[in-house]
Amino acid sequence: MLPLKEKDKPIVRKLLSSGCCARCVLRFCCVSVQAAYRKPPQDTLKELQAFISNTENSTSQESAADSTEENSKSHDAAVSEPLGEPPNKRVKLEPVGTEEEEEAAAPAVAKLKEEESSVCVACLGILQELCGSTQAVKIAERVKTEKYEFDTVVLSVSLPAQLCVREHSCWLHVKKELREKSMAVDKDNAVQVKEAFKWIMQGLVAKELGGVVVVARSLFEVSVEFTHPETDADCHFLASTCADCFKSTKNKQSVFTRMAVVKALEKISDAVFLKHYACPPAQPTSSCSPQYVQCLHVSIFIAGRYNKFSRCLPQTPWVIDGERRMESSVEELIAAPVLSSFRADGFNFSSSGREDVDVRTLGNGRPFAMELLNPHRSRLSKVEMKQLQETINESSDKIRVRDLQIVSREAMSRMKEGEEDKTKSYTALVWTRKPIQSDDIAFIDDIKDLTLDQKTPLRVLHRRALAVRQRVVHRMNTRFLDSHHFYLELKTQAGTYIKEFVHGDFGRTKPNLSVLLKTDTDILELDVESVDVDWPPSIPE
Ligand SMILES: *[C@@H]1O[C@H](CO)[C@@H](O)[C@H](O)[C@H]1NC(C)=O
Ligand SMILES: *[C@@H]1O[C@H](CO)[C@@H](O)[C@H](O)[C@H]1NC(C)=O
Ligand SMILES: *[C@@H]1O[C@H](CO)[C@@H](O)[C@H](O)[C@H]1NC(C)=O
Ligand SMILES: [Zn+2]
């Protein structure tokens, strides 16, 4: 039995005769029993028919009201009849055949016969033939071709905006009827097309996908999009009644978005709406077009540390005036194998600081993290993760990675937290104009916590604002090489410009190695020895 009440009878009758499908009738009657929607729609239609036939039989007063309604319609000043519309009788009543055993008990039970064109005026077929096991199979097939790995799935539905207009029209149609009977319209508790579609389809799709769980929230989303070009113009009159609601935006194909249409419908008066739009809505000739199914897995994040052994490898693709300057980059060398392992559509790379193209990163490497967009796989076993690391290691001799792991989005932000407070260690190869002996540089080893004032270096001025910032060189160590060269090892606060400290940057870094050694100095090579960020956690071999 359908959970319908006496007060629903006029609504059911009104909607059925206006060309609403059985499931839409349930929606408008605020039936929230999910099982009612999962029944075959033909059965529901029969039940609805039996329900109103009973009424016609028992309360002749109501059926009288119904028959006068058609006549009174033309007298209603607010209602403009749709031009050239055929009568909105979509279902014909005919006496029940003897084969309907269970209904035979009710003598006046009538049977509904659908006409050839029976696409629902309210859902445009979405809750009719577009909602059932055939469609569930199609959706599942589409998901399967993409070979995603997932435990749960959430189904989402995108509907043509004109459904709002049609729904509104149906409500006005019902409202008029109820007003005549002094009944209130319970619009807020009505069931949305989206909702009903999910109630019916979730279980069916889950079954087709081999029993995965369809849940309200999942990392994996299958969205089903319906369009109905035939009735796209339904929304157009709203542009003249609420111009403000439809502002064109660059990235939207149409100004008639669902949001905008809902907003315009909130503002429009019933009388104005009825002047422009048929009530009930006109019968469409076709259902919504075959639905567009899109799968999306939320991003996952992986982190690790990388070494860079090349002095001609930028961290990210280096493009000047649209032209590529170096054939590869750290980011691309790491991303290629990672993307293919996780079968992701794209990535977003970030790291704890970055080195110049000519700087190597040695030691334990530099922490990095990557967002993987729409990954088709979201988990790797320890062994697979190690294999991935090996693939990256062997793909070139320019980089290596370690501590590769999946991390959370939140954990990723820890990499950037307090970056300024961290320390980094470097080795610089220094040239001196004046000949030196090891004794001449030994004093540098005793300098502790030297504070530098660094004006934004000339080489980065084009992308950074001009400012003076203070950075601390915590410790230095020298290794004499020959009369014009020595290695300088430094442990500094993160963000110290090492090259500028060595050559002075035309007086922009003070003090500098040149003033300490009382001779011109320059930097020939620089290596990052360690980036002292304790994230991501190291992974024991
Ligand atoms: C990459 O990350 C940045 C910042 O976290 C974000 O604004 C951007 O939208 C991301 N790009 C993609 C393609 O997700
Ligand atoms: C990749 O190279 C790094 C750095 O040399 C090393 O620590 C790591 O163990 C290597 N990983 C694999 C799986 O080869
Ligand atoms: C080094 O710093 C001093 C001040 O400490 C400054 O006078 C000098 O110009 C700088 N040297 C170079 C080469 O920039
Ligand atoms: Zn419908």
Side-chain angles (χ1 to χ4, degrees), residues 96-106:
V96 69
T98 45
E99 73 277 8
E100 319 280 340
E101 308 150 64
E102 48 175 34
E103 289 165 6

Side-chain angles (χ1 to χ4, degrees), residues 21 24 120 122-123 127-128:
C21 72
C24 280
C120 173
C123 69
L127 296 179
Q128 297 175 294

